[in-house]
Structures are given as C-alpha cells and as structure tokens.
C-alpha cells in the first residue's frame, strides 16, 4: 500500500487551526466500515477503490475510504439532535494501476442540525468557508473554490415534466457522471440493452422480499454457486429488480436530453453561471427560482469570506458518493488535476434518513487533504 508523505508539523498545524477554532467535538471513527452500506451509497464501481477485509464466516468490511458516513452513524447512535464533529486520521482508497497514495491523511468537520436550528444556506457558507480557510493555510496561492448544487439539478429536472420513474432516476444519478451519461446516451431509445438482469430479474420483480431472496437461493443452489461474504440474497434480488425496472423505464426524448446536456455544460463565475441556469430553466420555474434565491443568499455571504475571483460554479459538479443532495464544492489547485481536489464537501440531508435518522435532520460537511493543501506537497 502506497503511503502519503508526512506533512511538516508547522504546515499541518496551520491547516488544522481553522477546524480547531470551529467549536466542534473532536472524534475518531473505526477504521473498519460496513462494505455493503458504502457500496449502496457509491455503487459497485467503487468496490475496486476499496480495501476489502473479511473475517472467516463474517460479513465483508472495508478500510474507511473517508469519514463522513462513519461520523454520521456515530452521531445518530449518540441520540443528539444536532452537533459538530471534527476529525483527523488516515483514510484508504486503492489506486489500481496508478501511483497515487492509497493511505492518506484527512481533516474534516461534519455539522448536523434540525429544522429551525440554522438556515441551510448559512450553514453551507460556514462549512465551505471553513474548508477554504484550512486549504489556503497550506500555502498554495493557486486555489479555486468550485461550487455546484445537486438540488438545483433536481429542480431543473422537475421542470422537464418527465415520467416520475425517469425523473427519480436522473436525480439519483445526478452526482455520478458515468451513470448520468449512460442515461443521456439512451435518449430517444427504449430499454438499455444488457442492463436489465434478464429473465431472472423479471421473475423476481413483484415478489415479496422474502420470496425473491428464496428464489435467488434456489437459483444459486441449482447452479452450484456458493456465495462467500458480500451482499446477501435479499440485497442482490433488490438490486436486480431495480436494474430491470430502470432498464424498462422510459428514456429521455432527444430534445430533453439536449436540455440536460446544456444545463450540465454550464460552468462560469457564479453570477454568470446562475443567470445561465435561469435561462435554461425558462420563464416559469418556481423550483429553480427558489433554488436560485438560496444561491443569492449563499454568494452574498460567501464572497465576504472567499475572494470573489476565486469562485466558480459548475452545474455538473458531483462527488464519488451519491449521498450529496444539495450544495457540493471542491477546492482545486491549478497544479493538480481536477480529480485531485485539495478539499471537498457539501450537503447530505437525505443520508441521515437513509441511516435511520428523522426527516427533519440536516447535514453538511467538508474534508481537506493536508498533503494536497501543503505548498510543498502533492504535485
């Protein structure tokens, strides 16, 4: 496993300082995390990036690829309504065929609120500005804060008057470029060939969960397949059914796909980019108008804390994990490729409900990679 070089103590202290001053509780998280949960959040494509661990006869786990899910789970288990938690520790992601560090240091902060505790735009600004302060403390002078919004994409999709199943699917893959491009590629066509799970998925569809799992076990037994760790039969059956349903769902019309492509191509300084979003949405769009009003509030506050010339907005900005459902952001260095952000983060309200929380819980957080923030670091 390739290990990231150590950041000098003085540089690390400077990067750490904004988090230390944020009034958050310092926490840690178990290095081993549940594999199935993370794959549900990021998709099977993420498996190749994870270090999988399995005890004999036990469920598969993985070395933590980041801290967000682990900290969210700990917060919910603690029973508190709101909270702020900061962390510092190693994360692990495989780099098949690459030369990037696979064990690396992360610093971050996760903020949890309930409705009425704080307006989401204000909390978003606090976290994005905190990430900027920590990243800039590393000494690089070529940083840019890139902003996006998964929720704004969802509002735009609502205006296209799509069938419910198709609109929900597009929103679900909004932060995952590969899946979104696959949906655009089948515009004007029918089912996605080879992606439906075939006759087995068709037979599983409509069955109660217990019966679907039992049918899958019977198929395995007939085929002589002996599952080892990983997902259970009920989970696999559900995924096959979802894939079949998605493949049978109506596709975008060519003009709808072109509208989505134009929206995703928007990338400019924030005010100009948001004006382009408004133009793309058309004259009457209550959902988009509400999202843009929230952005005007964010930008008014954010430009007081981050130089306006360092801000960009990209409608297609997303992250590897698809639990982000509002603001997304990355802090990039001109010296590093776009897929190597110095810091990243965003809003992920829906994740808490998926982990067992209540619908009124809100969450936003950020992470900084000190070796990338450090001026003498990654190049």
């Amino acid at each position: 496993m390739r290990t990231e070089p150590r950041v000098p103590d003085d540089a690390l202290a400077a990067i750490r300082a904004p988090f230390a001053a944020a009034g958050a509780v310092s926490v840690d998280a178990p290095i081993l995390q549940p594999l199935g949960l993370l794959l549900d959040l990021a998709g099977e494509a993420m498996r190749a990036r994870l270090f999988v661990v399995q005890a004999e006869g036990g469920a598969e786990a993985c070395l933590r690829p980041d801290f967000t899910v682990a900290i969210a789970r700990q917060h919910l288990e603690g029973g508190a309504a709101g909270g702020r938690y900061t962390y510092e520790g190693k994360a692990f992601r495989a780099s098949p065929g690459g030369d990037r560090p696979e064990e690396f240091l992360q610093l971050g902060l996760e903020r949890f609120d309930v409705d009425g505790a704080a307006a989401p735009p204000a909390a978003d600004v606090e976290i994005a500005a905190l990430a900027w302060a920590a990243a800039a403390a590393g000494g690089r002078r070529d940083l840019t804060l890139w902003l996006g919004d998964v929720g704004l994409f969802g509002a735009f999709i609502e205006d296209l008057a799509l069938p419910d199943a198709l609109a929900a699917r597009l929103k679900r893959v909004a932060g995952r470029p590969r899946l979104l491009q696959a949906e655009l590629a089948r515009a004007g066509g029918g089912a996605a060939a080879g992606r439906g799970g075939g006759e087995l998925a068709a037979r599983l569809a409509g069955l109660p969960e217990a019966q679907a799992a039992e049918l899958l076990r019977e198929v395995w037994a007939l085929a002589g397949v002996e599952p080892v760790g990983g997902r259970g039969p009920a989970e696999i059956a559900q995924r096959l059914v979802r894939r079949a349903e998605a493949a049978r769902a109506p596709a975008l019309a060519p003009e709808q796909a072109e509208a989505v492509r134009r929206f995703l191509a928007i990338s400019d300084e924030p005010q100009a980019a948001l004006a382009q979003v408004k133009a793309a949405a058309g004259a009457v769009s209550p959902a988009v108008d509400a999202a843009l009003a929230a952005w005007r509030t964010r930008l008014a506050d954010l430009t007081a804390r981050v130089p306006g010339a360092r801000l960009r907005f990209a409608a297609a900005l997303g992250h590897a994990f698809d639990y982000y459902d509002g603001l997304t952001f990355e802090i990039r260095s001109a010296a590093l490729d776009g897929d190597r952000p110095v810091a990243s983060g965003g809003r992920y309200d829906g994740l808490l409900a998926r982990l067992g929380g209540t619908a009124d819980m809100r969450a936003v957080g950020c992470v900084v990679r000190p070796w990338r923030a450090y001026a003498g670091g990654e190049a």
Side-chain angles (χ1 to χ4, degrees), residues 5 18 48 80 103 172 185 209 223 237 241 251 334 376:
E103 176 183 325
R172 191 164 56 248
E209 182 177 312
V241 170

Side-chain angles (χ1 to χ4, degrees), residues 75 79 85 99 123 129 168 171 242 257 272 275 277 317 326 328 344 363:
H75 171 70
Y85 308 94
D99 58 358
K171 292 177 184 179
R242 286 200 299 268
V277 169
L317 183 67
T328 57
S344 62

Side-chain angles (χ1 to χ4, degrees), residues 242-278:
R242 286 200 299 268
R243 178 172 289 184
E245 290 172 346
R248 292 197 300 267
L252 286 165
E255 62 273 15
Q256 292 169 333
E258 183 56 32
V260 172
R261 290 190 184 96
R262 287 196 301 269
F263 178 91
L264 294 174
I266 294 171
S267 179
D268 208 327
E269 63 86 18
Q271 295 293 356
L274 295 176
Q276 293 170 46
V277 169
K278 174 63 177 174

Side-chain angles (χ1 to χ4, degrees), residues 8-9 28 86 110 132 148 160 170 196 256 325 347:
D9 290 344
D28 197 2
T86 186
E110 309 298 330
W132 176 266
L160 294 181
L170 286 168
Q256 292 169 333
D325 48 23
R347 176 160 293 280

Side-chain angles (χ1 to χ4, degrees), residues 47-68:
R47 184 185 286 267
R49 300 289 312 281
L50 301 176
F51 287 99
V52 177
V53 180
Q54 182 180 3
E56 185 174 354
E60 286 183 310
C62 65
L63 302 183
R64 63 188 179 209
D66 73 357
F67 283 76
T68 300

Side-chain angles (χ1 to χ4, degrees), residues 11-376:
L12 183 57
I15 296 166
R16 183 190 292 132
F19 292 106
V25 177
S26 180
V27 295
D28 197 2
I31 287 182
L32 289 182
Q33 292 292 313
L35 177 65
L37 174 62
L38 293 177
L39 292 179
D40 281 341
L41 296 172
E44 287 290 341
M46 177 58 78
R47 184 185 286 267
R49 300 289 312 281
L50 301 176
F51 287 99
V52 177
V53 180
Q54 182 180 3
E56 185 174 354
E60 286 183 310
C62 65
L63 302 183
R64 63 188 179 209
D66 73 357
F67 283 76
T68 300
V69 173
I71 301 300
R73 293 174 67 212
Q74 289 183 180
H75 171 70
L76 292 173
E77 290 166 2
R84 293 165 176 251
Y85 308 94
T86 186
Y87 59 83
E88 177 177 336
K90 294 294 184 67
F92 308 84
R93 292 189 197 176
S95 178
D99 58 358
R100 295 186 183 180
E102 297 174 309
E103 176 183 325
F104 48 85
L105 183 66
Q106 289 187 334
L107 307 178
L109 186 142
E110 309 298 330
R111 171 176 171 163
F112 304 103
D113 298 298
V114 293
D115 275 343
D124 291 347
V125 169
E126 180 200 15
I127 296 301
L130 177 64
W132 176 266
R140 291 190 187 268
R141 297 292 179 261
D142 61 354
L143 300 180
T144 302
L145 174 55
W146 287 78
L147 303 163
D149 189 349
V150 177
L152 183 57
F153 178 77
F156 177 78
I157 291 298
E158 288 177 16
D159 280 345
L160 294 181
L162 303 174
D164 290 346
L166 178 57
R169 177 169 172 78
L170 286 168
K171 292 177 184 179
R172 191 164 56 248
V173 302
R176 296 164 69 178
R178 183 181 62 84
L179 295 180
L180 184 54
Q181 290 304 319
E183 195 64 43
L184 293 172
R186 73 183 188 103
R195 296 287 295 174
E199 183 179 347
L200 176 59
R203 292 190 62 188
L204 295 174
L207 291 178
E209 182 177 312
Q211 291 184 28
E214 184 57 33
L215 176 59
L216 192 56
R217 288 191 191 95
E218 292 177 8
V219 171
W220 285 347
L222 289 171
V225 174
E226 185 65 34
V228 179
R231 299 182 184 277
E235 243 184 317
I236 294 172
Q238 289 174 358
R239 291 179 67 82
L240 283 172
V241 170
R242 286 200 299 268
R243 178 172 289 184
E245 290 172 346
R248 292 197 300 267
L252 286 165
E255 62 273 15
Q256 292 169 333
E258 183 56 32
V260 172
R261 290 190 184 96
R262 287 196 301 269
F263 178 91
L264 294 174
I266 294 171
S267 179
D268 208 327
E269 63 86 18
Q271 295 293 356
L274 295 176
Q276 293 170 46
V277 169
K278 174 63 177 174
V284 181
S285 178
V288 171
D289 286 347
L292 292 177
W295 268 106
R296 285 191 288 272
T297 300
R298 286 190 192 94
L299 291 174
D301 293 340
L302 193 56
T303 51
R305 306 172 72 172
V306 178
R310 298 288 187 172
L311 296 176
R312 297 278 295 183
F313 185 95
L317 183 67
H319 299 317
F321 291 99
D322 73 348
Y323 46 71
Y324 290 97
D325 48 23
L327 164 85
T328 57
F329 66 83
E330 291 182 351
I331 298 172
R332 301 176 183 174
S333 164
L336 302 175
D337 299 335
D339 62 349
R340 291 188 288 164
V342 170
S344 62
R347 176 160 293 280
Y348 54 95
D349 297 341
L351 174 64
L352 298 182
R354 292 168 71 178
L355 294 175
T358 57
D360 63 345
M361 290 182 167
R362 303 287 177 259
V364 61
C366 66
V367 60
V368 175
R369 294 279 298 271
W371 181 243
R372 290 179 178 172
Y374 171 48

